[in-house]
């Protein structure tokens, strides 16, 4: 599904260069349930953003479904994201002026789903993450973990074939975490959706099929560790 | 140090009322190291905000150092916060246009510390949380866990007698977490600084002296649980 070759990502900050990722070679097959683990600052978010086509590498190649992502236009890349990828951001990135329900409806509206179906699908997704009753709260009127769950519901609402989640349980208690992890495992088992997540959460690490260890922007375990 | 009596906090959302905290009675003594634990949405942030005078209760009384917080003017409350409280927000609340160093310097500048001392103190605090070398990054150029650590450094820079931390290790890996927890325990043991934190992190819960369990806005373990 995803093939990354010799990926380099540098950030330029005035005079300094931060080598956020170096020499990353990685293949993710359809239907995998992969965890990315590493210290704070090791490059997980950078890697998630590249895989989700939210950002571009400084060097190297990324293929998604055989397509060279860097050869696509911005519009084609946006289309690819909207049609096949669900992304849970570490900082949630919810729209503050929309309610929880409207935030979750948005990807379906962009995709062009029939209006009669959109609200119902979004409601179901919010119920699944334990937020029935909070549909009308705007993000600023939700707790941290509730915002995180709206972000998760939004990422799952289009039934994406690829879900990329950046520390999706960081703000959740263990019971709520367990439900969310169960939900993701279920979608992976039943629908074959591919899951790639970065996490510091041992409960989530216990559930993965394969572990990628990052340190200082490099993969240090060959990308094929046991969970 | 802190006495809360019959605290009620309601949020009004159009027609609905959310009872975020109900009937909370709580006393925190000087030098305590207290954890607040509970499911997502149970009222932890609301409680932290009330204790830190960042927000006001709908009913009930809060005394800090014997002072009735609600009888103070806004200016007096701001003064109290700046002089004696260090607050780590769940969402960090860093100023995006200031560098990491400038964010950490700010409370000292507000306090009126000599300019020659301010930069040095701020640098030391950033080193302590493992961020030497990142002083010039603005928050948007930092990883999630690095932003969280800037927020922690900023909360500690004025050597506050009361530190209130809302899920301070949510975005940190276990090694970095352990260092931060060690740092907080050390300040508590050496300087007698009182620590109150909300957390889902078992490593942090293992270190506390006393546990307060919240559920649906109520304290369910008498506020005096073992850790
Ligand atoms: N401004 C607001 N308006 C309406 N409801 C609110 C507001 N802020 C918080 N709430 C609600 O109050 C309840 C308690 O919120 P709080 O942020 O204190 O929870 P929490 O325990 O910190 O949760 P988490 O672990 O997810 O951070 C939640 O159900 C939340 O939706
Ligand atoms: N826009 C940027 N400009 C400069 N440096 C950056 C930028 N974004 C990230 N960095 C740096 O790149 C490195 C990797 O960042 P990244 O966000 O990928 O880490 P991470 O593994 O997700 O960390 P965390 O677990 O704390 O979220 C960090 O050292 C960070 O400071
Ligand atoms: Mg990150
Ligand atoms: Mg909270």
């Amino acid at each position: 599904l995803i093939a990354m070759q010799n990926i380099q990502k540098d950030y330029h900050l005035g005079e300094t260069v931060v080598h956020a990722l170096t020499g990353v070679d990685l293949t993710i097959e359809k239907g995998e349930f992969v965890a990315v683990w590493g210290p704070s600052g090791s490059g997980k978010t950078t890697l998630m953003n590249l895989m989700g086509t939210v950002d571009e590498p400084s060097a190297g190649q990324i293929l998604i479904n055989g397509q060279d992502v860097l050869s696509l236009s911005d519009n084609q890349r946006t289309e690819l994201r909207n049609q096949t990828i669900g992304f849970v951001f570490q900082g949630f990135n919810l729209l503050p002026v929309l309610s929880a329900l409207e935030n979750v409806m948005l990807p379906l509206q962009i995709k062009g789903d029939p209006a009669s179906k959109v609200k119902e699908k979004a409601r179901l997704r919010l119920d699944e993450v334990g937020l029935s009753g909070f549909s009308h709260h705007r993000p600023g009127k939700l707790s941290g973990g509730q915002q995180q769950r709206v972000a998760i519901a939004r990422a799952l609402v289009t039934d994406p074939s690829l879900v990329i989640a950046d520390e999706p349980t960081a703000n959740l208690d263990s019971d709520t975490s367990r439900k969310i992890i169960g939900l993701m495992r279920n979608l992976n088992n039943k629908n074959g959706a591919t899951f790639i997540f970065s996490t510091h959460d041992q409960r989530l690490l216990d559930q993965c099929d394969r572990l990628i260890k990052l340190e200082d922007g490099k993969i240090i375990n060959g990308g094929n560790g046991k969970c």
Side-chain angles (χ1 to χ4, degrees), chain A:
Chain A
L1 184 59
I2 299 180
M4 293 176 109
Q5 275 178 348
N6 216 1
I7 289 297
Q8 182 86 22
K9 178 66 182 182
D10 298 323
Y11 293 115
H12 297 271
L13 208 62
E15 292 295 314
T16 11
V17 182
V18 178
H19 301 293
L21 290 176
T22 309
V24 169
D25 293 309
L26 192 54
T27 317
I28 313 274
E29 305 292 344
K30 265 195 168 204
E32 287 206 69
F33 201 82
V34 189
V36 176
W37 178 71
S40 170
S42 56
K44 299 179 297 298
T45 293
T46 304
L47 184 64
M48 299 292 117
N49 288 346
L50 292 180
M51 290 203 269
T53 73
V54 168
D55 196 7
E56 287 187 12
S58 311
Q61 189 185 48
I62 301 178
L63 302 172
I64 296 183
N65 276 329
Q67 281 185 320
D68 180 351
V69 171
L70 295 170
S71 68
L72 300 176
S73 71
D74 269 352
N75 279 344
Q76 289 173 313
R77 221 174 295 178
T78 303
E79 173 88 357
L80 169 69
R81 270 199 302 277
N82 188 247
Q83 295 293 327
T84 63
I85 300 174
F87 204 109
V88 186
F89 295 89
Q90 186 168 5
F92 319 147
N93 287 0
L94 300 175
L95 298 178
V97 296
L98 298 184
S99 69
L101 186 67
E102 290 163 340
N103 264 285
V104 180
M105 285 166 62
L106 199 54
L108 293 173
Q109 293 166 326
I110 294 171
K111 204 173 180 183
D113 272 25
S116 52
K117 292 286 176 192
V118 170
K119 211 172 211 175
E120 177 187 345
K121 273 192 180 185
R123 262 193 212 293
L124 279 170
R125 288 272 97 113
L126 280 175
D127 290 350
E128 257 177 357
V129 297
L131 291 179
S132 35
F134 291 90
S135 319
H136 304 300
H137 289 237
R138 287 183 181 187
K141 312 284 186 187
L142 290 172
S143 77
Q146 290 168 340
Q147 291 176 36
Q148 186 149 45
R149 284 181 274 161
V150 175
I152 292 167
R154 178 182 64 178
L156 301 179
V157 76
T158 52
D159 294 311
S161 50
L162 170 62
V163 180
I164 297 173
D166 197 352
E167 297 193 37
T169 62
N171 287 278
L172 303 177
D173 55 281
S174 39
D175 281 348
T176 311
S177 256
R178 201 173 310 134
K179 294 200 186 86
I180 297 297
I181 295 167
L183 172 66
M184 304 202 313
R185 265 288 29 167
N186 208 14
L187 290 166
N188 174 254
N189 293 331
K190 277 189 24 281
N191 304 353
T194 309
F195 277 80
I196 307 164
F197 43 88
S198 66
T199 187
H200 297 304
D201 185 347
Q202 193 54 48
R203 294 173 294 246
L204 189 44
L205 291 167
D206 288 345
Q207 289 279 341
C208 68
D209 298 332
R210 176 185 160 198
L211 182 64
I212 296 165
K213 278 195 192 174
L214 272 183
E215 193 169 294
D216 284 330
K218 299 189 185 70
I219 294 181
I220 60 165
N221 69 338
N224 222 341
K226 295 192 96 27
C227 287

